[in-house]
Amino acid sequence: MFSTVLKYMEMAMAGKGVSSEGQDAMENKHLKYFVRKIRGLPEFVWRTIWKVGREDPRRAIHSLKVGLSLTIVSLLYLLEPLFQGIGQNAIWAVMTVVVVLEFTAGATLCKGLNRGVGTLCAGSLVFLIEYIANASGHTFRAVFIGIAVFFIGAAATYMRFIPYIKKNYDYGVVIFLLTFNLIAVSSYRVHNVLRIAHDRFYTIAIGCGICLLMSLLIFPNWSGEELHYSIVLKLEGLATSIEACVNEYFRDLENGATENKSSDDPIYKCYKAVLDSKSNDETLALHASWEPRHSRNCSRYPWQQYVKLGAVLRHFGYTAVALHGCLQSEIQTPRSVRALFRGPCIRVAGEVSKVLMELADSIVKRRHCSPELLSDHLHQALQDLNTAIKSQPRLFLGSNHNMLAFAAATAGTQKPEKNSGISLSSVKTDTSALMEWKNKRVSDQSKDSSERKTLRPTLSKIAVTSLEFSEALPFAAFASLLLEIVVRLDLVIEEVETLGRLASFKEFKPVDEIVVTCERPRTGKNGGFRTHLPSEGTD
């Protein structure tokens, strides 16, 4: 907006092709637009704030917890008795709260313990180096500290490349490097280095303690619960998108292609959350492994199985993406042809959706799936689809498939002649558009290249649509993707059963009520379990 206003202001000052009346009208127009935007800015800000809080009320609670934590830790500076006991090192407690207090308890535990252990290890190593440096004399002291900084820095940095350390303790190694260098280098000029390390460690411990109390005791948000319900949302989203895709494909429209191709398409939103969840699942699983809440019999909860299940769901989601792409294809099967297969396809999609919703329900209730998860209805729907496709061979083979079969049978009996071939009327008809385009291309070699690039896509589309089997070919792709979804469904069921076995889900009982409905994904007990969390990277 501002760049546009500046552009027209420069044009007005330069006087390039714009009359004085036109300049005044243009300036008034953009001035009104600017004033209208300024007036609507408070409403826009309020709508954005309300939308963010309404999507997940836990965000507002977390913001209040951070504010309260900063207020408490600031008392080390504001209260005179506390400030006299700690001094300027109280600022490290404030910094610790800012960088350690995260959205979930697992993330806070991970960063807090990493920061505490890293500081403690760095301080202990500095004490050892300081003792050796003092014994070596004042001249050799600077050389010894420099050599120690070099080797410790290089070794710690190299350790960050080890996959296990990078995944679990990268933040702790960074804090170790920072603390070690600050204390080791400053010890050369400051003689009371033990007091500095002592105060710094205690202030960091105070900050970490406040963060842990806020995360674990006051409205805690668990990474394990976040990961658990994110898998549920993925299953429900895939169930919704697959059924919606099939219903949209067979909807009674004049134009087979869907009109909504933007990112606001609800089908797109359902499977997009699945495809973009890899890094989020791995981060949540890492943080959940630090939480003691789900530990049973001193054994680790199988959080990595959730990550594996998420990977299987992403591969399953790729097929849903391809199925959605059939709705936006440039070449569509006519409504009359699609109507022949409408019933079986909708039944197959409905049964797949029911299975996915039952899997989601079993994960929510932490119970094993029903033994009759794959009912005979899905098998019968597949049989009906197979029968419907076999009943319409001309749609897939073309009206001249008998002539082609006859030509193939008689080709071996005829003696081939040099520079001669079999001429079929159907082949000639199907390739006529391509030959016309080729002749036109040869005759127009002298034309501009940009014109040829403009004509080429149009002529290619005409040539493709002239093919005799093109009417049924898009539906064949759609049906094959639908069958691929059914095949990949077995992999999803297998991973869910493995999760139930490793996580000790309760056994399924026939008296358990199973209600499978394709509805809007559940939002959870605290206002929604979202997969998008605040930044949890290394600070």
Side-chain angles (χ1 to χ4, degrees):
M1 180 180 64
F2 293 102
S3 61
T4 305
V5 174
L6 292 175
K7 177 181 178 182
Y8 283 108
M9 290 177 63
E10 292 176 356
M11 292 177 59
M13 295 176 62
K16 295 181 180 179
V18 182
S19 61
S20 59
E21 295 81 1
Q23 290 180 0
D24 295 337
M26 191 175 300
E27 289 176 358
N28 292 333
K29 179 180 179 181
H30 287 284
L31 181 61
K32 292 179 180 178
Y33 177 77
F34 178 76
V35 172
R36 187 166 62 252
K37 283 291 185 181
I38 293 297
R39 289 178 177 178
L41 183 61
E43 183 181 357
F44 172 76
V45 172
W46 171 251
R47 284 201 310 265
T48 303
I49 295 174
W50 179 260
K51 178 182 178 182
V52 171
R54 188 177 181 182
E55 286 180 353
D56 193 349
R58 297 177 303 162
R59 296 169 177 170
I61 297 175
H62 176 70
S63 302
L64 296 177
K65 288 163 60 176
V66 173
L68 180 60
S69 301
L70 290 174
T71 302
I72 294 174
V73 79
S74 298
L75 296 178
L76 298 176
Y77 243 88
L78 301 177
L79 298 181
E80 189 66 25
L82 297 178
F83 180 78
Q84 290 179 357
I86 297 179
Q88 298 292 335
N89 289 306
I91 194 63
W92 285 91
V94 179
M95 294 174 57
T96 300
V97 171
V98 172
V99 300
V100 169
L101 187 54
E102 291 287 351
F103 185 76
T104 60
T108 303
L109 279 167
C110 178
K111 297 188 71 173
L113 294 178
N114 270 276
R115 188 176 183 89
V117 173
T119 303
L120 182 61
C121 293
S124 302
L125 186 60
V126 166
F127 292 155
L128 178 61
I129 292 177
E130 182 69 14
Y131 176 77
I132 299 175
N134 289 332
S136 61
H138 182 75
T139 305
F140 188 71
R141 183 180 180 186
V143 178
F144 184 81
I145 291 176
I147 295 174
V149 167
F150 171 77
F151 281 105
I152 296 298
T157 303
Y158 186 80
M159 289 177 63
R160 295 183 63 191
F161 292 104
I162 300 175
Y164 180 78
I165 294 179
K166 184 175 182 62
K167 179 181 178 181
N168 296 278
Y169 307 108
D170 186 72
Y171 182 71
V173 176
V174 172
I175 295 300
F176 169 82
L177 271 176
L178 176 64
T179 305
F180 175 80
N181 283 275
L182 287 177
I183 299 178
V185 175
S186 61
S187 65
Y188 185 75
R189 299 294 181 183
V190 180
H191 298 287
N192 196 8
V193 67
L194 295 178
R195 179 61 184 272
I196 296 176
H198 179 270
D199 292 343
R200 185 163 298 177
F201 177 77
Y202 272 101
T203 53
I204 291 176
I206 292 173
C208 290
I210 293 175
C211 294
L212 293 179
L213 290 176
M214 286 292 175
S215 296
L216 299 177
L217 300 182
I218 301 179
F219 298 104
N221 300 319
W222 303 100
S223 299
E225 292 291 331
E226 192 79 28
L227 178 60
H228 183 84
Y229 283 97
S230 68
I231 294 294
V232 175
L233 292 180
K234 293 187 187 87
L235 287 167
E236 292 181 346
L238 288 174
T240 302
S241 63
I242 290 172
E243 191 168 26
C245 275
V246 177
N247 291 332
E248 183 74 14
Y249 187 79
F250 292 100
R251 193 174 65 179
D252 189 12
L253 294 175
E254 290 296 329
N255 185 9
T258 181
E259 297 178 358
N260 191 2
K261 298 184 180 181
S262 65
S263 59
D264 295 333
D265 190 351
I267 302 176
Y268 171 78
K269 290 182 178 180
C270 286
Y271 62 73
K272 181 179 183 296
V274 180
L275 302 181
D276 298 341
S277 63
K278 182 177 184 297
S279 60
N280 186 78
D281 289 349
E282 293 177 350
T283 302
L284 288 175
L286 172 62
H287 293 160
S289 64
W290 290 82
E291 296 175 351
R293 187 173 184 226
H294 291 276
S295 298
R296 298 176 182 176
N297 301 324
C298 298
S299 61
R300 298 175 65 89
Y301 201 76
W303 297 118
Q304 290 303 318
Q305 182 60 31
Y306 283 91
V307 178
K308 294 180 181 179
L309 178 56
V312 172
L313 290 178
R314 281 192 297 275
H315 286 285
F316 188 87
Y318 297 149
T319 312
V321 175
L323 194 71
H324 188 210
C326 293
L327 275 67
Q328 303 175 354
S329 177
E330 295 294 335
I331 302 174
Q332 292 288 333
T333 303
R335 290 185 296 116
S336 58
V337 177
R338 281 182 289 171
L340 299 174
F341 312 99
R342 183 177 184 273
C345 288
I346 290 181
R347 286 197 298 273
V348 170
E351 294 300 325
V352 171
S353 180
K354 288 180 181 179
V355 173
L356 292 174
M357 295 297 289
E358 162 59 17
L359 294 175
D361 187 70
S362 68
I363 294 178
V364 169
K365 297 179 179 179
R366 288 184 169 87
R367 62 164 175 80
H368 289 282
C369 303
S370 170
E372 300 179 357
L373 181 63
L374 292 176
S375 62
D376 295 335
H377 298 289
L378 178 59
H379 179 72
Q380 185 61 40
L382 289 174
Q383 292 294 335
D384 294 342
L385 178 59
N386 184 44
T387 302
I389 293 176
K390 286 184 176 180
S391 64
Q392 303 293 333
R394 289 179 177 271
L395 293 176
F396 302 95
L397 299 178
S399 60
N400 295 318
H401 66 282
N402 292 329
M403 182 182 297
L404 291 174
F406 174 77
T410 58
T413 60
Q414 297 179 357
K415 185 177 180 179
E417 298 180 0
K418 188 176 181 180
N419 298 328
S420 65
I422 300 174
S423 177
L424 296 177
S425 59
S426 61
V427 176
K428 182 178 180 180
T429 303
D430 294 340
T431 58
S432 59
L434 292 174
M435 295 300 297
E436 291 177 1
W437 172 77
K438 183 176 180 180
N439 295 332
K440 186 175 182 60
R441 182 186 179 189
V442 173
S443 62
D444 294 341
Q445 288 292 332
S446 59
K447 290 185 177 181
D448 186 74
S449 60
S450 61
E451 295 180 359
R452 292 201 301 271
K453 291 181 180 179
T454 304
L455 292 175
R456 189 171 301 167
T458 304
L459 294 174
S460 299
K461 185 176 180 180
I462 294 175
V464 171
T465 54
S466 67
L467 297 177
E468 196 171 299
F469 54 81
S470 62
E471 289 186 350
L473 188 59
F475 174 77
F478 182 85
S480 65
L481 289 172
L482 197 59
L483 296 178
E484 181 69 17
I485 286 177
V486 176
V487 174
R488 295 193 179 191
L489 186 63
D490 292 335
L491 301 177
V492 178
I493 295 174
E494 182 180 352
E495 291 298 328
V496 173
E497 291 178 347
T498 304
L499 174 63
R501 184 176 65 257
L502 296 177
S504 300
F505 285 179
K506 63 182 180 180
E507 295 295 332
F508 175 83
K509 298 179 180 179
V511 295
D512 291 342
E513 181 181 1
I514 302 176
V515 180
V516 180
T517 56
C518 296
E519 57 184 8
R520 190 175 181 180
R522 56 175 60 84
T523 57
K525 60 182 179 181
N526 290 330
F529 289 88
R530 306 293 177 183
T531 57
H532 46 280
L533 301 177
S535 176
E536 296 177 344
T538 301
D539 296 294

